Amino acid sequence: ARLKDAVLACLDAALNTFDPTVQTALLRAASYGKLFCEDVDGDLRDDFVEKCQQVRILHNVRDPAIGLPLTYTQFESLGLETLVHRLVSRHSHQLALKICEAAGLSQQKQRVLEHWACARIRSLAGTEDAAVLGRQIIQKLAICPGMSFGKIAGTAYDCGMKDLATMVLDQEPKANDQVSLLLEMFQDDRALKKAVESRDADLIYEVLLHIKSRLPHEGGGGIKLGSGHSEPQDPQEKKFYSLLRKYPVVLHHLVAYYENTGLDPADKAGRQSIEGLKKVYYELKMEPQAGRIKVVESYMKMDWKQRLRMLEIAKDLFKNDPYVAAATGAQVRLLQIQRKCEADYRSKFVDLSVNATLAKLIRLGHTDRAARIRKEFAVPEKRFWHIQVQTLAEEQDWNGLSTLAASRRAPPIGYEPFIEACVANDSTPEAVKYISKLALPNEKMEWLCSIQCFGEAAEVAKDEKNVDALRYISRCAKGKPVVKRRIDAMIRELGG
């Protein structure tokens, strides 16, 4: 135990003396004495290694070239991290780096290298070739994988060495830091490229909206087809749209941003999104997409003439899509017809669908005009019959419905839609009239039972001599005793 205490005393004495010769003698004595001490747990060995490391650190910082004649007490009070910080402040980067490596201070090591690189850039700005200096810095910092280059690149940019800043920033492992500094350096193309390569949608949006925020106010109202302003006049706008052409994924994100904001013409944000999309599509000559926006925009206009004009423009934009162009042309014709109907009948027609327009004309008693419109828009005959049946039933025009049913030997839609329309509008007697026209007895009985006309259903079953059907109808009619007795008599009559 006394020998161990003597070894530790030699180590403490070496730490508290300034004479290298005495330090060497004390350390040798401690090393020799350690050989004869029992050190089962290795504590003495660890103390010896730690204190020898501290002696070497104190010896180096006490060197006149460094100029920090610290006592051991002062050294303990400061701590290694503070000592490293002071060495860095004195630009003693090499010694600070060695201390960090020896003590395993990885974060401090990164700070030492970062400070060294920034100091070197400031001292050599304007005198050293950027490529040479960049290679030196990158090679030196390679000993510390994963460290950030953002502050170093920022220092280079502040010193006017943009090429060096770009070169160093390429080594930055974090895309967010890369992109932020590239945007500050107005290198929008590289920032967008890095964001796309990161496949981070939020980062792409951040870059996109940052670039867009630097554009002049874009209302899009002055962009018109054939107006001679198909190309943006502002250099920033030209650059912005060239980036959208270069990176389709970014264009996709911008369109998604506008669409997620909403395209509701009644909402201010929706109107701004429509204007933004319209300008993007026009500048990039995306005619089909511009046509769709033009259709949406047309319904922002209350004046029907302006709406017609915009729909005509949309139709021209759809020239490469015959189906959509034809549909837009049909909408133009419908709007014109509806305006004429409004003038003739002093009733609202604009903004109704074709089906609703036909129904309203039938309701007003202008079936012939509805039939002409039906042919013009190629509305299927069966659909037109359904519209007529439903409209006439809603208007309780039972004579008109009967005339419609009698206009053909057999209606193309059959009699069931007539029955359904009568039932839906609470006219059981009218429904019975059309049920009687059904071809199959079973269908007649099912419909009659469904509207609780059990007596009529029983008559059909009796005519068919269907005892089983009569028994079923009898069970269904238990709430109507008089009708049930009559049905039971029919069953007995048929020998059931």
Side-chain angles (χ1 to χ4, degrees):
R2 293 178 62 189
L3 182 57
K4 182 177 181 180
D5 292 338
V7 170
L8 293 173
C10 288
L11 292 172
D12 288 337
L15 286 167
N16 286 282
T17 184
F18 279 70
D19 189 341
T21 305
V22 176
Q23 285 179 331
T24 303
L26 289 168
L27 289 174
R28 283 178 178 172
S31 177
Y32 181 74
K34 180 173 69 72
L35 297 175
F36 299 97
C37 292
E38 290 185 4
D39 188 20
V40 178
D41 298 329
D43 293 341
L44 183 59
R45 179 197 61 204
D46 294 340
D47 286 343
F48 181 79
V49 172
E50 181 183 355
K51 291 184 183 297
C52 285
Q53 186 182 82
Q54 292 173 347
V55 169
R56 284 196 293 273
I57 291 171
L58 285 169
H59 177 70
N60 279 284
V61 300
R62 289 167 181 168
D63 188 279
I66 303 299
L68 284 175
L70 298 176
T71 64
Y72 178 60
T73 303
Q74 290 173 326
F75 172 75
E76 278 192 311
S77 178
L78 281 176
L80 277 178
E81 291 188 6
T82 305
L83 178 60
V84 168
H85 178 70
R86 289 196 178 184
L87 289 171
V88 167
S89 299
R90 291 167 172 258
H91 287 236
S92 299
H93 298 103
Q94 186 173 3
L95 178 57
L97 186 61
K98 288 182 177 179
I99 291 174
C100 290
E101 289 175 343
L105 303 175
S106 57
Q107 288 188 344
Q108 289 293 325
K109 181 179 178 181
Q110 291 184 12
R111 291 173 187 166
V112 171
L113 290 169
E114 183 179 77
H115 190 279
W116 167 81
C118 293
R120 188 162 182 80
I121 290 170
R122 292 190 190 98
S123 64
L124 297 177
T127 61
E128 185 78 17
D129 179 68
V132 175
L133 182 57
R135 285 194 293 271
Q136 290 176 354
I137 292 172
I138 292 169
Q139 184 178 1
K140 183 72 173 178
L141 270 59
I143 63 174
C144 195
M147 75 170 289
S148 176
F149 284 75
K151 187 176 181 179
I152 301 169
T155 301
Y157 180 72
D158 293 339
C159 293
M161 303 180 73
K162 294 183 180 180
D163 292 340
L164 176 60
T166 303
M167 182 179 179
V168 171
L169 199 57
D170 280 338
Q171 308 300 315
E172 172 59 47
K174 296 179 181 178
N176 285 335
D177 294 341
Q178 271 187 323
V179 164
S180 298
L181 189 55
L182 285 169
L183 289 174
E184 289 180 19
M185 295 163 58
F186 293 91
Q187 295 197 21
D188 298 341
D189 194 343
R190 293 180 67 86
L192 207 50
K193 181 182 178 182
K194 294 294 182 183
V196 171
E197 289 175 351
S198 73
R199 298 184 180 182
D200 185 341
D202 290 337
L203 190 57
I204 293 174
Y205 276 124
E206 180 184 341
V207 177
L208 185 60
L209 296 179
H210 184 91
I211 298 172
K212 190 173 178 295
S213 69
R214 295 204 293 250
L215 298 179
H217 177 69
E218 47 178 14
I223 304 296
K224 295 180 181 179
L225 195 68
S227 64
H229 297 288
S230 60
E231 289 296 331
Q233 301 301 311
D234 185 81
Q236 285 285 356
E237 283 190 336
K238 288 183 179 180
K239 185 176 180 182
F240 177 69
Y241 291 114
S242 68
L243 289 175
L244 292 182
R245 291 187 189 95
K246 187 174 180 180
Y247 300 108
V249 66
V250 177
L251 173 60
H252 172 77
H253 278 76
L254 180 60
V255 171
Y257 168 77
Y258 280 129
E259 290 179 346
N260 290 336
T261 303
L263 299 177
D264 183 3
D267 180 63
K268 182 180 178 181
R271 290 193 296 272
Q272 290 176 344
S273 295
I274 290 171
E275 292 295 332
L277 272 180
K278 182 176 69 172
K279 189 164 188 179
V280 168
Y281 290 149
Y282 279 171
E283 300 296 359
L284 300 184
K285 302 187 186 304
M286 300 170 67
E287 293 186 342
Q289 293 85 345
R292 293 187 184 98
I293 289 297
K294 205 67 178 176
V295 170
V296 174
E297 188 185 15
S298 71
Y299 282 88
M300 295 167 60
K301 306 296 182 183
M302 298 304 295
D303 181 57
W304 72 277
K305 291 182 179 179
Q306 289 184 340
R307 184 179 298 178
L308 277 176
R309 187 164 55 252
M310 288 188 173
L311 288 173
E312 291 285 2
I313 293 172
K315 180 182 174 183
D316 292 338
L317 291 169
F318 290 134
K319 59 181 178 291
N320 293 324
D321 191 337
Y323 175 78
V324 180
T328 308
Q331 182 63 28
V332 171
R333 295 198 310 277
L334 178 62
L335 185 57
Q336 292 169 336
I337 290 170
Q338 288 173 336
R339 285 295 301 170
K340 186 70 169 60
C341 290
E342 285 187 352
D344 292 344
Y345 309 126
R346 299 185 180 280
S347 184
K348 174 83 173 161
F349 278 87
V350 172
D351 290 337
L352 296 179
S353 65
V354 174
N355 288 358
T357 301
L358 296 175
K360 188 159 189 176
L361 286 170
I362 294 166
R363 190 174 292 113
L364 294 174
H366 302 288
T367 305
D368 291 342
R369 190 166 190 171
R372 291 197 299 272
I373 294 173
R374 193 274 296 184
K375 290 181 180 178
E376 182 171 351
F377 289 95
V379 175
E381 183 184 25
K382 287 186 177 181
R383 187 194 302 173
F384 186 53
W385 271 75
H386 277 289
I387 293 170
Q388 291 182 88
V389 169
Q390 185 176 350
T391 304
L392 292 170
E394 288 173 354
E395 293 297 308
Q396 306 282 309
D397 185 359
W398 306 121
N399 290 333
L401 191 63
S402 179
T403 302
L404 177 65
S407 65
R408 292 281 189 90
R409 184 175 180 180
I413 58 174
Y415 288 103
E416 285 200 2
F418 288 81
I419 301 167
E420 290 169 353
C422 293
V423 172
N425 290 277
D426 302 320
S427 182
T428 300
E430 290 294 325
V432 171
K433 184 166 65 175
Y434 295 108
I435 291 171
S436 66
K437 297 179 182 293
L438 294 173
L440 299 176
N442 286 343
E443 289 182 352
K444 291 180 182 180
M445 287 185 284
E446 287 176 8
W447 270 110
L448 289 168
C449 287
S450 70
I451 59 176
Q452 297 188 350
C453 292
F454 302 114
E456 291 83 347
E459 293 293 343
V460 175
K462 181 182 177 183
D463 292 342
E464 295 296 318
K465 298 181 180 180
N466 190 334
V467 177
D468 291 337
L470 283 169
R471 289 195 182 104
Y472 172 77
I473 297 168
S474 177
R475 289 196 299 272
C476 293
K478 62 184 178 181
K480 296 184 176 182
V482 176
V483 176
K484 188 175 187 309
R485 284 196 296 272
R486 194 171 54 147
I487 296 171
D488 291 341
M490 292 179 185
I491 295 172
R492 289 192 296 272
E493 185 182 335
L494 292 175

